[in-house]
């Protein structure tokens, strides 16, 4: 696993280097450090999560650099940007773009947890729809919203409901 992670990071670094050269952008230490942090993760994260992680690694980087670098990484296909309709409906969540299986997402409407799932039927649906509609599908996004079964989330939701009910009766 470690070797495949190292190989994936090497591929990502090469792709970023080529992109920066092609676009005439600086090949800064900060950009590559952010890329390394992204490729060390297996979760969905927002820009603030990434900013905090960089500071926990004692790597002083500004929020602006994090946001700008994420834009570059999205543009060159190294990171995927998702908007799952969180509580503020504007927060973007990111995930690695390389070395990931085609997948879809489940989003808990209570705790906003993101769960990935793979199902081979998704590829079949994508192919069938493309063929039927005479449409070359390049990518897709499938997100299901509902309530997760995580005990902490369920307990928190029940406590909030109970608190709201007792407040309205007072």
């Amino acid at each position: 696993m470690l070797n495949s992670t190292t190989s994936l990071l090497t591929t990502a670094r090469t792709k970023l280097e080529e992109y920066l050269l092609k676009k005439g952008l600086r090949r800064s230490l900060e950009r590559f450090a952010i890329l390394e942090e992204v490729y060390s993760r297996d979760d969905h994260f927002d820009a603030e999560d990434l900013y905090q992680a960089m500071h926990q690694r004692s790597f002083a980087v500004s929020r602006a650099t994090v946001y700008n670098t994420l834009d570059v990484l999205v543009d060159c296909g190294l990171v995927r940007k998702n908007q799952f309709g969180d509580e503020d409906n504007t927060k973007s969540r990111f995930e690695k773009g390389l070395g990931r299986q085609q997948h879809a997402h489940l989003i808990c409407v209570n705790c906003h947890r993101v769960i990935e799932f793979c199902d081979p039927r998704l590829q079949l649906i994508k192919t069938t729809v493309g063929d039927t509609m005479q449409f070359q599908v390049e990518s897709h996004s499938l997100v299901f919203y509902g309530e997760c079964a995580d005990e902490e989330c369920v307990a928190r939701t029940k406590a909030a409901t109970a608190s709201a009910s007792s407040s309205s009766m007072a």
Side-chain angles (χ1 to χ4, degrees), residues 21-119:
L21 283 169
K22 178 181 167 187
K23 295 288 187 174
L25 299 172
R26 282 187 336 109
R27 294 175 300 173
S28 68
L29 179 62
E30 291 84 0
R31 284 184 172 144
F32 287 94
I34 290 169
L35 177 71
E36 187 174 319
E37 176 60 30
V38 167
Y39 275 78
S40 74
R41 306 174 73 106
D42 286 318
D43 62 344
H44 295 80
F45 56 91
D46 63 28
E48 186 64 23
D49 295 332
L50 187 55
Y51 173 76
Q52 294 298 330
M54 295 303 292
H55 281 268
Q56 287 173 0
R57 289 177 47 192
S58 298
F59 198 96
V61 62
S62 70
R63 278 185 176 84
T65 298
V66 169
Y67 278 91
N68 292 335
T69 300
L70 281 170
D71 287 342
V72 167
L73 297 176
V74 168
D75 195 44
C76 70
L78 292 171
V79 169
R80 288 190 191 126
K81 181 178 182 178
N82 301 293
Q83 290 193 270
F84 294 129
D86 288 349
E87 63 277 2
D88 61 8
N89 209 22
T90 59
K91 185 192 299 184
S92 296
R93 300 237 196 129
F94 302 90
E95 62 184 317
K96 291 185 271 202
L98 295 181
R100 304 293 303 251
Q101 285 186 326
Q102 181 177 332
H103 63 275
H105 299 98
L106 302 169
I107 310 298
C108 179
V109 296
N110 298 316
C111 67
H112 308 288
R113 182 172 159 212
V114 179
I115 305 165
E116 290 184 358
F117 72 95
C118 297
D119 188 318

Side-chain angles (χ1 to χ4, degrees), residues 138-152:
E138 294 179 10
S139 66
H140 76 278
S141 176
L142 179 62
V143 181
F144 293 101
Y145 295 89
E147 296 183 1
C148 74
D150 183 301
E151 287 185 26
E152 286 184 30

